[in-house]
Amino acid sequence: MAQADIPGTTLFDGVQARKGYALNKMCFSFNSADARAEFQRDEEAYMRQFGLNAEQAEAIRQRNVLALLAAGGNAYYLAKFAGIFGLDMQDIGAQQTGVSKAEFQARLLAAGA
């Protein structure tokens, strides 16, 4: 079955899931407080432990959600990464849409979300 192309959106399909496996596995590990602390002590070593590729590691260093999605990141796992820095899904949504968090929240309210 052909997938619809949604402009400006990275579709998370089987290809993206395989591409982002290491990244998502690392982000899943952040369910553990010990893992979050270990990441914050030495991000580079932690990324090597999970085998992130150069694209994924650079996106982590830049805290660039759009690049993380393009590198195979799943929004739900990336939320665990963003949580380390006190960010929530609305911060991620704002970054994805190129607006401030307040503007993103206003859009959600206007849409009845």
Side-chain angles (χ1 to χ4, degrees):
M1 180 171 161
Q3 297 290 330
D5 183 34
I6 304 170
T9 301
T10 301
L11 180 66
F12 190 78
D13 58 9
V15 172
Q16 284 297 97
R18 285 187 293 280
K19 181 179 178 181
Y21 181 78
L23 172 63
N24 292 318
K25 186 174 180 179
M26 181 184 83
C27 290
F28 181 77
S29 77
F30 297 142
N31 282 320
S32 159
D34 290 343
R36 293 190 298 270
E38 184 179 343
F39 174 80
Q40 289 179 306
R41 271 192 304 275
D42 189 345
E43 292 184 18
E44 295 299 322
Y46 202 80
M47 289 190 289
R48 282 193 303 275
Q49 177 183 332
F50 283 87
L52 270 59
N53 64 32
E55 176 188 16
Q56 294 165 339
E58 186 58 26
I60 288 285
R61 288 183 202 105
Q62 298 298 318
R63 313 294 194 245
N64 185 326
V65 173
L66 295 179
L68 288 166
L69 291 170
N74 176 289
Y76 295 103
Y77 293 123
L78 295 178
K80 298 177 187 314
F81 168 68
I84 293 173
F85 306 103
L87 304 174
D88 59 29
M89 286 303 289
Q90 292 181 359
D91 291 300
I92 293 173
Q95 192 176 122
Q96 285 181 290
T97 54
V99 299
S100 70
K101 184 175 181 178
E103 291 169 321
F104 185 75
Q105 289 170 327
R107 285 183 182 183
L108 291 176
L109 290 172

